[in-house]
Amino acid sequence: MEKDNYKYYQRIKDLREDSDLKQETVAGLLDMFQSSYQRYESGKLELPMHCFIKLAKFYNVSLDYLAGLTNDKEKKW
């Protein structure tokens, strides 16, 4: 797995765990099965952009932070 992708996958897992949420809860937010979400979080599938946007809004972080492009959580939009 590429280094940049690792940040992205690790970031969505860390945000979920920091919020004390189960994969099932986040999967429900994204309108998918837990098994599908687990594949995104483990890096087996690439998360679609509409899911990135939902997660950024849900966790109240910037898309850049969620993607691992910055360590600044503040939204710029």
Side-chain angles (χ1 to χ4, degrees):
M1 191 177 306
E2 294 178 18
K3 185 177 178 184
D4 289 339
N5 285 343
Y6 176 76
K7 286 183 183 179
Y8 145 64
Y9 296 115
Q10 189 63 45
R11 183 114 331 146
I12 64 171
K13 181 179 180 181
D14 289 345
L15 284 167
R16 178 183 58 78
E17 290 177 344
D18 290 347
S19 298
D20 293 324
L21 298 172
K22 295 184 178 191
Q23 286 183 341
E24 293 88 359
T25 304
V26 179
L29 169 76
L30 300 175
D31 197 29
M32 65 178 65
F33 293 110
Q34 179 275 333
S35 58
S36 298
Y37 179 76
Q38 188 278 330
R39 289 185 200 110
Y40 294 125
E41 202 172 86
S42 67
K44 293 179 181 173
L45 290 176
E46 189 173 327
L47 191 67
M49 181 55 73
H50 73 277
C51 292
F52 259 111
I53 293 168
K54 278 188 177 181
L55 289 175
K57 288 180 179 181
F58 178 74
Y59 291 121
N60 198 32
V61 297
S62 70
L63 288 169
D64 285 349
Y65 178 80
L66 192 63
L69 300 174
T70 182
N71 290 324
D72 183 8
K73 289 184 179 182
E74 185 178 332
K75 295 190 296 186
K76 307 289 186 202
W77 42 275

